[in-house]
Amino acid sequence: MNIIRCGDTLLFRTPPVIAAKAAVGGKKEGEGPLAAAFDELGNDNRFGQSGWEAAEKYLQLRAARLCLQKAQLPEEKVDLALAGDLQAQCTASGYAMRELGVPFAGQFGACSTMAQALGLGAALCAGGGVRNLLAMASSHFCAAERQFRTPLSYGAVRTPTAQWTATAAGCCLLRPEGKGVSVTAATFGRVQDYQIRDINNMGAAMAPAAAATLLRYFADTHSQPQEFDCIYTGDLGQVGSRMLKELLAAEGLLVKNHLDCGCLLFDPETQQVKSGGSGAGCCAAVLCGHILPRLERGSHRRVLFVATGALMSQTTFLQKETIPAVAHLVELGPIRKEES
Amino acid sequence: MNIIRCGDTLLFRTPPVIAAKAAVGGKKEGEGPLAAAFDELGNDNRFGQSGWEAAEKYLQLRAARLCLQKAQLPEEKVDLALAGDLQAQCTASGYAMRELGVPFAGQFGACSTMAQALGLGAALCAGGGVRNLLAMASSHFCAAERQFRTPLSYGAVRTPTAQWTATAAGCCLLRPEGKGVSVTAATFGRVQDYQIRDINNMGAAMAPAAAATLLRYFADTHSQPQEFDCIYTGDLGQVGSRMLKELLAAEGLLVKNHLDCGCLLFDPETQQVKSGGSGAGCCAAVLCGHILPRLERGSHRRVLFVATGALMSQTTFLQKETIPAVAHLVELGPIRKEES
């Protein structure tokens, strides 16, 4: 068997590879420190579409097409796409897939979607039967604000713990073998709930999930944080990142090599994003535009990518439910250079 | 390799099995022709919970626990749960998984979720590394009406093409081998859109997706409809079922062994469900309570289970988008009796 289970972690003996990837972003993303990481950036947040929801669909479709273009792979050779987003009923993905026309299984992990899709996709590639799989996720600031928070036109003041939903999409092409960054392991998270009710403090709701999944992965694989060039979390922001370090320190782990995709995407000094970026497209784009190129260049050899998602909705929030969260993890690297 | 790809279809050489299953339903489901198929039925649609959304969470949790109880499997032995529902941000599943505490990857395929979860789950079991996987889906009439259609208290007249969202959940325990109904193949669908805009005619929106996936499966496997004891679709209702037959007939396939889960769950004469039942929980419960027992008893030896999902949301409906749909297929049977 090519897949070995250790606890909650799947280890891939012949690791699948990320053969190509693409990141697409909006206007604000193009004004931030990672502007050069994107394959394409919009001049506004409409991308020539009729509305914000349709603009997010376009972002996802564009990321998929750029990714396939780089791999010189025609759409009809895609065996399966695992895609998700934050819109109710995952419509950004559903409508993007209508245009892409490939077999499609919708994923919902909120902001953890990219790691979930990569983990499931890697297991499907490693298990056989899938040769070309797309893993992708997106988010759109305006579509998310309309759905979850204050109507944009109210111009309400944001709290210091609030995060800014990225207008971005990322797409990876996974293959069972060949050239690319290897996906060597995957850990699927268990839902955590630390009784947070503040919809403007997602970092606090999600940090326990990131800590739980990391602790399981370290226990399952008998590894230590310092063995990795970097541990990237998806979208905890400044507040959640501090909490993650505290939660891990309480378990005796002093993590000095942690970076958060939500803290990387925007400039905290000039871009007024409060605690940082968020949204399923944030860590998906940072992975594709920033992390994977480092693994490809060899400046990183082994990293963890842990994406966290808050699993509430506007309905459960209004019903005063607490906010559960989940975190999925994939271990990435090193690059494999042989041709398939 | 245990998995062979033929076109869009994955064939499992050593097929994974459905080792246990459970179906839970609401009051109306208990008044219908399949009442005896359910493991548990509610006296009202609240199930002792604070609201409809929480009631749906309870349905899913109850189905999972009954399923694990039948398999005498403790929760900590579940490697992964693939679960989904119709609520925005799949909160019925997310909150159920918070209580179940197993590794969880959220699925969104609207009413196709059960077939999607079974297909992905079977591929993960067949590929190695997953020993006990839960595939599950739910829906709740009141939660769905609140989200998608007319507020219940308006008491609006339903159109003849409208379907009735089932208050139900189904859960299957999948294993790579052992005793149970085998999952011998899976086909993941491509999104279809026949430009339907009528939110009260899901059957018309989804029938083309069912036809497309069935035609691909027959072509991929060189099989004919008459080779199966029955072809079950998920929730096309009376209207969609007629359209499916017409679409297949136009391709030269005369299908006489088709039944629709949405037509089986309720009595069209007495239960006033118009075109039939629907919702992710409808075909999930009919599969677990009605179809799988027939395969276990040997009255069916080989069936197709094709679940269809409409991928729109209330937002895309209000934006006057057409309704895309997807259908996923699993081939089931015969029963395997050897112990693992």
Side-chain angles (χ1 to χ4, degrees):
Chain A
M1 279 295 189
N2 191 26
I3 308 179
I4 306 160
R5 165 170 290 277
C6 297
D8 285 359
T9 301
L10 299 178
L11 305 174
F12 308 119
R13 290 166 92 166
T14 303
V17 297
I18 299 173
K21 80 284 170 198
V24 179
K27 187 165 182 287
K28 192 179 183 87
E29 290 67 27
E31 293 160 357
L34 294 194
F38 286 89
D39 294 281
E40 220 171 81
L41 287 162
N43 291 325
D44 62 21
N45 284 337
R46 289 287 282 274
F47 299 90
Q49 305 297 307
S50 56
W52 298 325
E53 289 75 15
E56 186 177 346
K57 172 210 74 179
Y58 173 85
L59 273 175
Q60 215 174 102
L61 190 60
R62 200 70 200 118
R65 289 201 166 135
L66 284 167
C67 179
L68 291 174
Q69 206 173 305
K70 289 190 204 176
Q72 296 182 291
L73 191 77
E75 286 165 16
E76 50 282 15
K77 294 232 167 147
V78 174
D79 292 330
L80 185 61
L82 300 177
D85 59 89
L86 294 175
Q87 291 179 21
Q89 287 76 46
C90 300
T91 46
S93 306
Y95 282 86
M97 290 303 145
R98 177 179 71 178
E99 296 185 35
L100 204 62
V102 304
F104 161 57
Q107 302 298 305
F108 184 77
C111 306
S112 76
T113 301
M114 193 60 181
Q116 176 179 313
L118 277 175
L120 284 178
L124 290 169
C125 284
V130 176
R131 298 154 307 183
N132 292 297
L133 183 145
L134 295 179
M136 53 199 293
S138 67
S139 54
H140 191 293
F141 175 75
C142 307
E145 288 293 308
R146 165 136 75 191
Q147 181 170 258
F148 291 112
R149 300 190 188 92
T150 319
L152 284 178
S153 42
Y154 283 17
V157 176
R158 301 168 72 80
T159 67
T161 56
Q163 289 176 249
W164 187 281
T165 305
T167 300
C171 177
C172 288
L173 173 67
L174 277 167
R175 282 179 173 162
E177 54 193 357
K179 201 175 159 184
V181 172
S182 32
V183 183
T184 44
T187 311
F188 298 105
R190 297 164 188 253
V191 177
Q192 307 293 319
D193 194 326
Y194 274 39
Q195 305 288 306
I196 305 291
R197 281 194 170 79
D198 181 358
I199 206 167
N200 288 308
N201 195 354
M202 288 297 156
M206 300 193 295
T213 300
L214 277 166
L215 289 167
R216 283 215 181 244
Y217 168 84
F218 292 134
D220 290 346
T221 58
H222 308 287
S223 59
Q224 302 285 332
Q226 58 271 26
E227 292 172 32
F228 301 90
D229 293 308
C230 190
I231 297 168
Y232 289 100
T233 48
D235 317 344
L236 293 174
Q238 312 284 352
V239 175
S241 292
R242 277 198 299 276
M243 291 180 126
L244 172 66
K245 284 187 189 175
E246 286 170 22
L247 288 165
L248 292 175
E251 302 289 330
L253 289 181
L254 287 169
V255 178
K256 293 180 176 170
N257 52 349
H258 168 256
L259 287 174
D260 183 71
C261 297
C263 299
L264 292 170
L265 185 62
F266 299 115
D267 183 340
E269 301 291 315
T270 61
Q271 290 195 289
Q272 297 180 304
V273 293
K274 303 294 176 185
S275 184
S278 72
C282 177
C283 67
V286 174
L287 173 75
C288 294
H290 180 73
I291 304 171
L292 290 174
R294 291 181 164 226
L295 286 155
E296 285 171 354
R297 287 196 304 267
S299 52
H300 280 347
R301 281 190 53 79
R302 195 180 174 208
V303 309
L304 296 179
F305 175 68
V306 195
T308 53
L311 302 177
M312 89 297 166
S313 71
Q314 185 65 6
T315 304
T316 62
F317 165 69
L318 292 170
Q319 291 175 343
K320 308 207 190 306
E321 273 276 12
T322 57
I323 303 170
V326 74
H328 303 295
L329 174 154
V330 286
E331 183 192 320
L332 300 171
I335 183 144
R336 287 170 57 188
K337 290 192 173 151
E338 72 272 33
E339 291 289 339
S340 56
Chain B
M1 279 296 189
N2 192 27
I3 308 179
I4 305 160
R5 165 170 290 276
C6 297
D8 284 359
T9 301
L10 299 178
L11 304 174
F12 308 119
R13 290 167 93 165
T14 303
V17 297
I18 299 172
K21 81 284 170 198
V24 179
K27 188 166 181 287
K28 192 180 182 87
E29 290 66 28
E31 292 160 359
L34 295 193
F38 286 89
D39 294 280
E40 220 169 80
L41 287 162
N43 291 325
D44 61 22
N45 284 337
R46 289 287 282 273
F47 299 89
Q49 305 298 305
S50 57
W52 298 325
E53 288 76 14
E56 186 178 346
K57 171 209 76 179
Y58 173 85
L59 273 175
Q60 215 173 105
L61 190 60
R62 200 69 200 118
R65 288 199 167 136
L66 284 167
C67 179
L68 291 173
Q69 207 173 305
K70 289 190 203 175
Q72 295 182 293
L73 191 78
E75 285 165 16
E76 48 288 11
K77 293 233 167 148
V78 174
D79 292 331
L80 185 61
L82 300 177
D85 59 88
L86 294 175
Q87 291 179 22
Q89 287 76 46
C90 300
T91 45
S93 306
Y95 282 86
M97 290 303 144
R98 177 179 72 179
E99 295 185 36
L100 204 62
V102 304
F104 161 57
Q107 301 299 304
F108 184 78
C111 306
S112 75
T113 300
M114 193 61 181
Q116 177 178 314
L118 276 174
L120 285 178
L124 290 168
C125 284
V130 176
R131 298 154 306 183
N132 293 297
L133 183 145
L134 295 179
M136 53 200 292
S138 67
S139 54
H140 191 294
F141 174 75
C142 307
E145 288 294 308
R146 164 137 76 192
Q147 181 170 259
F148 291 111
R149 300 190 189 92
T150 318
L152 284 178
S153 43
Y154 283 17
V157 176
R158 300 167 73 79
T159 66
T161 56
Q163 289 176 251
W164 187 280
T165 305
T167 299
C171 178
C172 288
L173 173 66
L174 277 167
R175 281 178 173 162
E177 53 194 357
K179 201 175 157 184
V181 172
S182 29
V183 183
T184 44
T187 311
F188 297 106
R190 297 164 189 253
V191 177
Q192 308 293 320
D193 193 326
Y194 273 39
Q195 305 289 306
I196 304 290
R197 281 193 171 80
D198 181 358
I199 206 167
N200 287 308
N201 195 354
M202 289 297 157
M206 300 193 295
T213 300
L214 277 166
L215 289 168
R216 283 214 182 246
Y217 169 84
F218 292 134
D220 290 346
T221 58
H222 307 287
S223 59
Q224 302 286 332
Q226 58 271 26
E227 292 172 33
F228 301 90
D229 293 307
C230 190
I231 296 168
Y232 289 100
T233 49
D235 316 344
L236 293 175
Q238 312 284 354
V239 174
S241 292
R242 277 198 299 276
M243 291 180 126
L244 172 65
K245 284 188 189 174
E246 286 170 21
L247 287 165
L248 292 175
E251 301 290 328
L253 288 181
L254 287 169
V255 177
K256 293 180 176 170
N257 51 348
H258 167 256
L259 287 173
D260 183 71
C261 297
C263 299
L264 292 170
L265 185 62
F266 298 115
D267 183 340
E269 301 291 316
T270 62
Q271 290 194 288
Q272 298 181 303
V273 291
K274 302 294 177 186
S275 183
S278 72
C282 177
C283 66
V286 174
L287 173 75
C288 293
H290 180 73
I291 304 171
L292 290 173
R294 293 184 162 223
L295 285 155
E296 285 171 355
R297 286 197 304 268
S299 52
H300 280 347
R301 281 189 54 78
R302 195 181 173 206
V303 309
L304 295 179
F305 175 69
V306 195
T308 53
L311 302 178
M312 90 297 167
S313 72
Q314 185 64 8
T315 304
T316 61
F317 166 69
L318 292 170
Q319 291 175 342
K320 307 206 190 305
E321 272 277 11
T322 56
I323 303 171
V326 74
H328 302 295
L329 174 154
V330 285
E331 183 192 320
L332 301 171
I335 183 142
R336 287 170 57 186
K337 289 189 173 153
E338 72 272 35
E339 291 289 340
S340 57

